[in-house]
Coordinates of all heavy atoms in Angstrom, one line a residue:
M1 N 33.0 -16.1 76.7 CA 33.7 -17.2 76.0 C 35.2 -16.9 75.8 O 35.5 -15.7 75.5 CB 33.1 -17.4 74.6 CG 33.7 -18.5 73.8 SD 32.8 -18.7 72.3 CE 34.0 -19.5 71.3
T2 N 36.0 -17.8 76.1 CA 37.5 -17.6 75.9 C 38.0 -18.6 74.9 O 37.5 -19.8 74.8 CB 38.2 -17.9 77.3 OG1 37.7 -17.0 78.2 CG2 39.7 -17.7 77.1
Q3 N 38.8 -18.1 74.0 CA 39.4 -19.0 73.0 C 40.9 -18.9 73.0 O 41.5 -17.8 73.1 CB 38.9 -18.5 71.6 CG 39.5 -19.3 70.5 CD 38.9 -18.9 69.1 OE1 37.8 -18.4 69.0 NE2 39.7 -19.1 68.1
L4 N 41.6 -20.0 73.0 CA 43.0 -20.0 72.9 C 43.5 -20.6 71.6 O 43.1 -21.7 71.3 CB 43.6 -20.9 74.1 CG 45.1 -21.1 74.1 CD1 45.8 -19.8 74.2 CD2 45.5 -22.1 75.2
D5 N 44.2 -19.8 70.8 CA 44.7 -20.3 69.5 C 46.2 -20.5 69.7 O 46.9 -19.7 70.2 CB 44.5 -19.3 68.4 CG 43.0 -19.1 68.2 OD1 42.2 -20.1 68.1 OD2 42.6 -17.9 67.9
E6 N 46.6 -21.7 69.2 CA 48.1 -22.0 69.2 C 48.5 -22.5 67.9 O 47.7 -23.0 67.1 CB 48.3 -23.1 70.2 CG 48.1 -22.7 71.7 CD 48.5 -23.8 72.7 OE1 49.4 -24.6 72.3 OE2 47.9 -23.9 73.7
R7 N 49.8 -22.2 67.6 CA 50.3 -22.7 66.3 C 51.8 -23.1 66.5 O 52.5 -22.3 67.1 CB 50.3 -21.6 65.3 CG 50.8 -22.0 63.9 CD 50.7 -20.9 62.9 NE 51.2 -21.4 61.6 CZ 51.3 -20.7 60.6 NH1 50.9 -19.4 60.6 NH2 51.9 -21.1 59.5
D8 N 52.1 -24.2 66.0 CA 53.5 -24.7 66.1 C 54.3 -23.9 65.0 O 53.9 -23.9 63.9 CB 53.6 -26.2 65.8 CG 55.0 -26.7 66.0 OD1 55.9 -25.9 66.3 OD2 55.2 -27.9 65.8
L9 N 55.3 -23.2 65.4 CA 56.0 -22.3 64.5 C 57.1 -23.0 63.7 O 57.9 -22.4 62.9 CB 56.6 -21.1 65.2 CG 55.5 -20.2 65.8 CD1 56.1 -19.0 66.6 CD2 54.5 -19.7 64.8
T10 N 57.3 -24.3 63.9 CA 58.4 -25.0 63.2 C 58.1 -25.1 61.7 O 59.0 -25.3 60.9 CB 58.5 -26.4 63.8 OG1 57.3 -27.1 63.6 CG2 59.0 -26.4 65.2
D11 N 56.8 -24.9 61.3 CA 56.5 -25.0 59.8 C 56.4 -23.6 59.1 O 56.1 -23.6 58.0 CB 55.2 -25.8 59.6 CG 54.0 -25.1 60.2 OD1 54.2 -24.3 61.1 OD2 52.9 -25.4 59.8
V12 N 56.8 -22.6 59.8 CA 56.8 -21.2 59.3 C 58.1 -21.0 58.6 O 59.2 -21.2 59.1 CB 56.5 -20.2 60.4 CG1 56.6 -18.8 59.8 CG2 55.2 -20.4 61.0
E13 N 58.0 -20.5 57.3 CA 59.2 -20.2 56.6 C 60.0 -19.1 57.2 O 59.5 -18.2 57.8 CB 58.9 -19.7 55.1 CG 58.4 -20.8 54.3 CD 58.1 -20.3 52.9 OE1 58.9 -19.5 52.4 OE2 57.1 -20.8 52.3
Q14 N 61.4 -19.1 57.1 CA 62.2 -18.0 57.6 C 61.9 -16.8 56.8 O 61.8 -16.8 55.5 CB 63.7 -18.4 57.5 CG 64.1 -19.5 58.4 CD 64.1 -19.0 59.8 OE1 64.5 -17.9 60.1 NE2 63.6 -19.8 60.7
P15 N 61.8 -15.6 57.4 CA 61.5 -14.4 56.7 C 62.7 -14.0 55.8 O 63.9 -14.3 56.1 CB 61.3 -13.4 57.8 CG 61.9 -13.9 59.0 CD 61.9 -15.4 58.8
K16 N 62.4 -13.4 54.7 CA 63.5 -12.9 53.8 C 63.3 -11.4 53.6 O 62.2 -11.0 53.3 CB 63.4 -13.7 52.4 CG 63.6 -15.1 52.5 CD 63.4 -15.8 51.2 CE 63.7 -17.3 51.5 NZ 62.7 -18.1 50.7
L17 N 64.4 -10.7 53.8 CA 64.4 -9.3 53.7 C 64.9 -8.8 52.3 O 65.8 -9.5 51.7 CB 65.2 -8.6 54.8 CG 64.7 -8.8 56.2 CD1 65.7 -8.3 57.2 CD2 63.3 -8.2 56.4
P18 N 64.5 -7.7 51.8 CA 65.1 -7.2 50.6 C 66.6 -6.9 50.8 O 67.1 -6.7 52.0 CB 64.4 -5.8 50.4 CG 63.1 -5.9 51.2 CD 63.4 -6.8 52.3
H19 N 67.4 -6.9 49.8 CA 68.8 -6.7 49.8 C 69.2 -5.5 50.6 O 68.6 -4.4 50.4 CB 69.4 -6.6 48.4 CG 70.9 -6.4 48.4 ND1 71.8 -7.4 48.7 CD2 71.6 -5.3 48.2 CE1 73.0 -6.9 48.7 NE2 72.9 -5.6 48.4
G20 N 70.1 -5.6 51.5 CA 70.6 -4.5 52.3 C 69.8 -4.2 53.6 O 70.3 -3.5 54.5
F21 N 68.7 -4.8 53.8 CA 67.9 -4.7 55.0 C 68.4 -5.8 56.0 O 68.8 -6.9 55.5 CB 66.4 -4.9 54.8 CG 65.8 -3.7 54.1 CD1 66.0 -3.4 52.8 CD2 65.0 -2.8 54.8 CE1 65.4 -2.3 52.2 CE2 64.4 -1.7 54.2 CZ 64.6 -1.5 52.9
R22 N 68.2 -5.6 57.3 CA 68.6 -6.6 58.2 C 67.8 -6.5 59.5 O 67.3 -5.5 59.9 CB 70.1 -6.5 58.6 CG 70.5 -5.2 59.4 CD 72.0 -5.2 59.6 NE 72.3 -4.0 60.3 CZ 73.3 -3.9 61.2 NH1 74.0 -5.0 61.5 NH2 73.6 -2.8 61.8
F23 N 67.7 -7.7 60.2 CA 67.0 -7.7 61.4 C 67.9 -7.3 62.5 O 69.1 -7.6 62.5 CB 66.5 -9.2 61.7 CG 65.4 -9.7 60.9 CD1 65.6 -10.6 59.9 CD2 64.1 -9.2 61.1 CE1 64.6 -11.1 59.1 CE2 63.1 -9.6 60.3 CZ 63.3 -10.6 59.3
R24 N 67.4 -6.5 63.5 CA 68.1 -6.2 64.7 C 67.2 -6.3 65.9 O 66.0 -6.1 65.7 CB 68.6 -4.7 64.6 CG 69.3 -4.3 63.4 CD 70.7 -4.0 63.4 NE 71.4 -3.7 64.6 CZ 71.9 -2.5 65.0 NH1 71.7 -1.4 64.3 NH2 72.6 -2.4 66.1
T25 N 67.7 -6.6 67.0 CA 66.9 -6.6 68.2 C 67.0 -5.2 68.8 O 67.9 -4.4 68.5 CB 67.4 -7.6 69.3 OG1 68.6 -7.2 69.8 CG2 67.4 -9.0 68.7
A26 N 66.0 -4.8 69.6 CA 66.1 -3.5 70.3 C 67.3 -3.5 71.2 O 67.9 -2.4 71.3 CB 64.8 -3.3 71.1
D27 N 67.7 -4.6 71.7 CA 68.9 -4.6 72.6 C 70.1 -4.2 71.7 O 71.0 -3.5 72.1 CB 69.2 -6.0 73.2 CG 68.3 -6.3 74.3 OD1 67.6 -5.3 74.8 OD2 68.2 -7.4 74.7
E28 N 70.2 -4.7 70.5 CA 71.3 -4.4 69.6 C 71.2 -2.9 69.1 O 72.2 -2.2 69.0 CB 71.3 -5.3 68.3 CG 71.6 -6.7 68.6 CD 71.3 -7.6 67.4 OE1 70.5 -7.3 66.6 OE2 71.9 -8.7 67.4
A29 N 70.1 -2.5 68.6 CA 69.9 -1.2 68.0 C 69.9 -0.1 69.0 O 70.3 1.0 68.7 CB 68.6 -1.2 67.2
G30 N 69.5 -0.3 70.3 CA 69.5 0.7 71.3 C 68.2 1.4 71.4 O 67.3 1.3 70.6
P31 N 68.0 2.1 72.6 CA 66.8 2.7 72.9 C 66.4 3.8 71.9 O 65.2 4.0 71.6 CB 66.9 3.3 74.3 CG 68.4 3.2 74.6 CD 69.0 2.2 73.6
N32 N 67.3 4.6 71.4 CA 67.0 5.6 70.4 C 66.3 5.1 69.2 O 65.3 5.7 68.7 CB 68.2 6.4 70.0 CG 68.8 7.3 71.1 OD1 68.1 7.7 72.0 ND2 70.0 7.7 71.0
A33 N 66.8 4.0 68.7 CA 66.2 3.4 67.5 C 64.8 2.8 67.8 O 63.9 3.0 67.0 CB 67.1 2.3 67.0
A34 N 64.6 2.2 68.9 CA 63.3 1.6 69.3 C 62.3 2.8 69.4 O 61.2 2.6 69.0 CB 63.4 0.8 70.6
V35 N 62.7 3.8 70.1 CA 61.8 5.0 70.3 C 61.5 5.6 68.9 O 60.3 6.0 68.6 CB 62.3 6.0 71.3 CG1 61.5 7.2 71.3 CG2 62.4 5.3 72.7
Q36 N 62.5 5.8 68.1 CA 62.2 6.5 66.8 C 61.3 5.7 65.9 O 60.5 6.2 65.2 CB 63.6 6.8 66.1 CG 63.4 7.7 64.9 CD 62.8 9.0 65.3 OE1 63.3 9.7 66.1 NE2 61.8 9.4 64.6
A37 N 61.5 4.3 66.0 CA 60.6 3.5 65.2 C 59.1 3.7 65.6 O 58.2 3.8 64.8 CB 61.0 2.0 65.4
H38 N 58.9 3.8 66.9 CA 57.6 4.0 67.5 C 57.1 5.4 67.0 O 55.9 5.5 66.5 CB 57.5 4.0 69.0 CG 56.2 4.3 69.6 ND1 55.3 3.4 69.9 CD2 55.7 5.5 69.9 CE1 54.2 4.0 70.3 NE2 54.4 5.3 70.4
L39 N 57.9 6.4 67.1 CA 57.5 7.8 66.7 C 57.2 7.9 65.2 O 56.2 8.5 64.8 CB 58.6 8.8 67.1 CG 58.8 9.0 68.6 CD1 60.0 9.9 68.8 CD2 57.6 9.5 69.3
D40 N 58.0 7.2 64.4 CA 57.7 7.2 63.0 C 56.4 6.5 62.6 O 55.7 6.9 61.7 CB 58.9 6.6 62.2 CG 60.2 7.4 62.3 OD1 60.1 8.6 62.6 OD2 61.2 6.8 62.0
A41 N 56.1 5.4 63.3 CA 54.9 4.7 63.0 C 53.6 5.3 63.6 O 52.6 5.2 63.0 CB 55.0 3.3 63.6
W42 N 53.7 6.0 64.7 CA 52.5 6.4 65.4 C 52.4 8.0 65.5 O 51.8 8.5 66.4 CB 52.4 5.8 66.8 CG 52.4 4.3 66.7 CD1 53.4 3.4 66.9 CD2 51.2 3.5 66.3 NE1 52.9 2.1 66.7 CE2 51.6 2.2 66.3 CE3 49.9 3.8 65.9 CZ2 50.8 1.1 65.9 CZ3 49.1 2.8 65.6 CH2 49.5 1.5 65.6
A43 N 53.1 8.7 64.7 CA 53.1 10.2 64.8 C 51.7 10.7 64.5 O 51.0 10.1 63.7 CB 54.0 10.8 63.7
P44 N 51.3 11.7 65.3 CA 52.0 12.3 66.4 C 52.0 11.5 67.6 O 50.9 10.9 67.9 CB 51.3 13.7 66.6 CG 49.9 13.4 66.1 CD 50.0 12.3 65.1
S45 N 53.0 11.4 68.3 CA 53.1 10.6 69.5 C 54.0 11.3 70.6 O 54.9 12.0 70.2 CB 53.8 9.2 69.3 OG 54.0 8.5 70.4
T46 N 53.7 11.1 71.8 CA 54.5 11.8 72.9 C 55.4 10.7 73.5 O 56.0 11.0 74.6 CB 53.5 12.3 74.0 OG1 52.7 11.3 74.5 CG2 52.7 13.4 73.4
Y47 N 55.6 9.6 72.9 CA 56.4 8.5 73.4 C 57.9 9.0 73.5 O 58.4 9.7 72.7 CB 56.4 7.3 72.5 CG 56.9 6.0 73.0 CD1 56.3 5.5 74.2 CD2 57.9 5.4 72.4 CE1 56.8 4.3 74.7 CE2 58.4 4.1 72.9 CZ 57.8 3.6 74.0 OH 58.3 2.4 74.5
T48 N 58.5 8.7 74.6 CA 59.8 9.2 74.9 C 60.7 8.0 75.3 O 60.3 6.9 75.6 CB 59.8 10.2 76.1 OG1 59.4 9.5 77.3 CG2 58.9 11.4 75.8
E49 N 62.0 8.3 75.3 CA 63.0 7.3 75.8 C 62.7 6.9 77.2 O 62.9 5.7 77.6 CB 64.4 7.8 75.6 CG 65.4 6.6 75.7 CD 66.8 7.0 75.3 OE1 67.0 7.8 74.4 OE2 67.7 6.5 76.0
E50 N 62.3 7.9 78.0 CA 61.9 7.6 79.4 C 60.8 6.6 79.5 O 60.8 5.7 80.3 CB 61.6 8.9 80.2 CG 61.3 8.7 81.6 CD 60.9 10.0 82.3 OE1 61.8 10.9 82.3 OE2 59.9 10.1 82.9
A51 N 59.8 6.8 78.7 CA 58.6 5.9 78.6 C 59.1 4.5 78.2 O 58.6 3.5 78.7 CB 57.5 6.4 77.7
Y52 N 59.9 4.5 77.2 CA 60.5 3.2 76.7 C 61.2 2.5 77.8 O 61.1 1.2 78.0 CB 61.4 3.4 75.5 CG 62.1 2.1 75.0 CD1 61.3 1.0 74.6 CD2 63.4 2.1 75.0 CE1 62.0 -0.1 74.1 CE2 64.1 0.9 74.6 CZ 63.4 -0.2 74.2 OH 64.0 -1.3 73.8
Q53 N 62.0 3.2 78.6 CA 62.7 2.6 79.7 C 61.7 2.0 80.7 O 62.0 0.9 81.3 CB 63.7 3.6 80.4 CG 64.8 4.0 79.5 CD 65.7 2.9 79.0 OE1 65.8 1.8 79.6 NE2 66.3 3.1 77.9
G54 N 60.6 2.6 80.9 CA 59.5 2.0 81.7 C 59.0 0.7 81.2 O 58.8 -0.3 81.9
V55 N 58.8 0.7 79.9 CA 58.4 -0.6 79.2 C 59.5 -1.7 79.4 O 59.1 -2.8 79.8 CB 58.2 -0.4 77.7 CG1 58.0 -1.7 77.0 CG2 57.0 0.6 77.5
R56 N 60.7 -1.3 79.3 CA 61.8 -2.3 79.5 C 61.8 -2.9 80.9 O 62.3 -4.0 81.0 CB 63.1 -1.6 79.1 CG 63.3 -1.3 77.7 CD 64.7 -0.7 77.4 NE 65.8 -1.6 77.8 CZ 66.3 -2.6 77.1 NH1 65.8 -2.9 76.0 NH2 67.3 -3.3 77.6
R57 N 61.4 -2.1 81.8 CA 61.4 -2.6 83.2 C 60.2 -3.5 83.6 O 60.2 -4.1 84.6 CB 61.4 -1.4 84.2 CG 62.8 -0.7 84.2 CD 62.8 0.3 85.4 NE 61.9 1.4 85.2 CZ 62.2 2.5 84.5 NH1 63.4 2.7 84.0 NH2 61.3 3.5 84.4
T58 N 59.2 -3.7 82.7 CA 58.1 -4.6 82.9 C 58.5 -6.0 82.8 O 59.4 -6.3 82.0 CB 56.9 -4.3 82.0 OG1 57.3 -4.5 80.7 CG2 56.4 -2.9 82.2
A59 N 57.9 -6.9 83.6 CA 58.3 -8.3 83.6 C 58.2 -9.0 82.3 O 59.1 -9.8 81.9 CB 57.5 -9.0 84.7
P60 N 57.2 -8.8 81.4 CA 57.1 -9.5 80.2 C 58.0 -9.0 79.1 O 58.2 -9.7 78.1 CB 55.6 -9.4 79.8 CG 55.2 -8.2 80.4 CD 56.0 -8.0 81.7
Y61 N 58.6 -7.8 79.2 CA 59.4 -7.3 78.1 C 60.7 -8.0 78.0 O 61.4 -8.3 79.0 CB 59.7 -5.8 78.3 CG 60.5 -5.2 77.1 CD1 59.8 -4.8 76.0 CD2 61.8 -5.1 77.2 CE1 60.6 -4.3 74.9 CE2 62.6 -4.6 76.2 CZ 61.9 -4.2 75.0 OH 62.7 -3.7 73.9
S62 N 61.1 -8.3 76.8 CA 62.5 -8.9 76.5 C 63.0 -8.2 75.3 O 62.4 -8.3 74.2 CB 62.3 -10.4 76.3 OG 63.6 -10.9 76.1
G63 N 64.1 -7.5 75.4 CA 64.7 -6.8 74.3 C 65.1 -7.6 73.1 O 65.2 -7.1 72.0
D64 N 65.4 -8.9 73.4 CA 65.7 -9.8 72.3 C 64.5 -10.2 71.5 O 64.6 -10.8 70.4 CB 66.6 -11.0 72.7 CG 65.8 -11.9 73.7 OD1 65.0 -11.4 74.5 OD2 66.1 -13.1 73.7
L65 N 63.3 -10.0 72.0 CA 62.1 -10.3 71.3 C 61.4 -9.0 70.7 O 60.3 -9.1 70.2 CB 61.1 -11.0 72.2 CG 61.6 -12.4 72.7 CD1 60.5 -13.0 73.6 CD2 61.9 -13.3 71.5
H66 N 62.1 -7.9 70.8 CA 61.6 -6.6 70.2 C 62.4 -6.5 69.0 O 63.6 -6.1 69.0 CB 61.9 -5.5 71.2 CG 61.4 -4.2 70.8 ND1 61.3 -3.1 71.7 CD2 60.9 -3.7 69.6 CE1 60.8 -2.1 71.1 NE2 60.5 -2.4 69.8
I67 N 61.8 -6.9 67.8 CA 62.5 -7.0 66.6 C 62.3 -5.8 65.7 O 61.2 -5.3 65.5 CB 62.1 -8.3 65.8 CG1 62.1 -9.5 66.7 CG2 62.9 -8.5 64.5 CD1 63.5 -9.8 67.3
L68 N 63.4 -5.3 65.2 CA 63.4 -4.1 64.3 C 64.0 -4.6 62.9 O 64.8 -5.5 62.9 CB 64.3 -3.0 64.8 CG 64.1 -2.6 66.3 CD1 65.1 -1.6 66.7 CD2 62.7 -2.0 66.5
V69 N 63.6 -3.9 61.9 CA 64.2 -4.1 60.5 C 64.8 -2.8 60.2 O 64.2 -1.8 60.1 CB 63.1 -4.5 59.5 CG1 63.8 -4.6 58.1 CG2 62.5 -5.8 59.8
E70 N 66.1 -2.9 60.0 CA 66.9 -1.7 59.6 C 67.2 -1.7 58.1 O 67.6 -2.6 57.5 CB 68.3 -1.8 60.3 CG 69.1 -0.6 60.2 CD 70.4 -0.7 60.9 OE1 71.3 -1.4 60.5 OE2 70.5 -0.1 62.0
A71 N 66.9 -0.5 57.5 CA 67.1 -0.2 56.1 C 68.5 0.0 55.8 O 69.3 0.3 56.8 CB 66.2 1.0 55.7
P72 N 68.9 -0.1 54.6 CA 70.4 0.1 54.2 C 70.9 1.5 54.7 O 72.1 1.6 55.0 CB 70.4 0.1 52.7 CG 69.2 -0.8 52.4 CD 68.2 -0.5 53.4
D73 N 70.1 2.5 54.8 CA 70.6 3.8 55.3 C 70.6 4.0 56.8 O 70.9 5.0 57.3 CB 69.7 4.9 54.6 CG 68.3 5.0 55.1 OD1 67.9 4.1 56.0 OD2 67.6 5.9 54.7
G74 N 70.2 2.9 57.5 CA 70.3 2.9 59.0 C 69.0 3.2 59.6 O 68.9 3.1 60.9
T75 N 68.0 3.7 58.9 CA 66.7 4.0 59.5 C 66.0 2.7 59.8 O 66.2 1.6 59.2 CB 65.8 4.9 58.6 OG1 65.6 4.2 57.4 CG2 66.4 6.2 58.3
I76 N 65.1 2.7 60.8 CA 64.3 1.6 61.1 C 63.0 1.6 60.3 O 62.2 2.5 60.3 CB 63.9 1.6 62.6 CG1 65.2 1.6 63.5 CG2 63.1 0.4 63.0 CD1 66.2 0.4 63.2
A77 N 62.9 0.5 59.5 CA 61.7 0.4 58.6 C 60.5 -0.3 59.2 O 59.4 -0.1 58.7 CB 62.2 -0.4 57.3
S78 N 60.8 -1.1 60.2 CA 59.7 -1.9 60.8 C 60.1 -2.3 62.2 O 61.3 -2.4 62.5 CB 59.4 -3.1 59.9 OG 58.4 -3.9 60.5
A79 N 59.1 -2.5 63.1 CA 59.3 -3.0 64.4 C 58.2 -3.8 64.9 O 57.0 -3.5 64.6 CB 59.6 -1.8 65.3
T80 N 58.5 -4.7 65.8 CA 57.4 -5.5 66.4 C 57.9 -6.0 67.8 O 59.1 -6.3 67.9 CB 56.9 -6.7 65.6 OG1 55.8 -7.3 66.2 CG2 58.0 -7.7 65.4
I81 N 57.1 -6.2 68.7 CA 57.4 -6.8 70.0 C 56.6 -8.1 70.1 O 55.4 -8.1 70.0 CB 57.0 -5.9 71.2 CG1 57.8 -4.6 71.1 CG2 57.4 -6.6 72.5 CD1 57.4 -3.5 72.2
T82 N 57.4 -9.2 70.1 CA 56.7 -10.5 70.2 C 56.7 -11.0 71.6 O 57.3 -10.6 72.5 CB 57.5 -11.5 69.3 OG1 58.8 -11.6 69.7 CG2 57.4 -11.0 67.8

């Protein structure tokens, strides 16, 4: 059995971040930030910048849809690939 779920995103509220936090794309933040976000979330991990560059070369990847949340101190607090 296959199920396809769809949702129109026009009725979704805009996300609100705590003061001082901001959204960044992986393209803006750079590969080091994207890799460090992965390592922080999935430690222990052997993920490397070289592996990330391999992901970037895949057809479905788009750096503007790889969203990071940067904390006031510059660390990445959250990341998702949409």
Side-chain angles (χ1 to χ4, degrees):
M1 178 175 161
T2 301
Q3 178 177 334
L4 174 63
D5 295 320
E6 292 184 30
R7 179 175 180 186
D8 184 359
L9 297 179
T10 58
D11 63 339
V12 176
E13 290 183 36
Q14 289 293 317
K16 295 179 182 138
L17 295 174
H19 179 75
F21 286 74
R22 67 182 179 148
F23 289 109
R24 310 249 345 250
T25 67
D27 286 346
E28 294 169 334
N32 289 338
V35 170
Q36 191 60 53
H38 175 93
L39 295 173
D40 290 344
W42 299 104
S45 174
T46 59
Y47 196 59
T48 64
E49 193 169 324
E50 182 179 306
Y52 174 63
Q53 293 303 335
V55 170
R56 290 181 56 84
R57 287 189 293 273
T58 62
Y61 181 85
S62 181
D64 63 328
L65 297 177
H66 187 167
I67 308 300
L68 311 171
V69 174
E70 186 178 77
D73 67 0
T75 61
I76 301 301
S78 177
T80 188
I81 301 175
T82 59

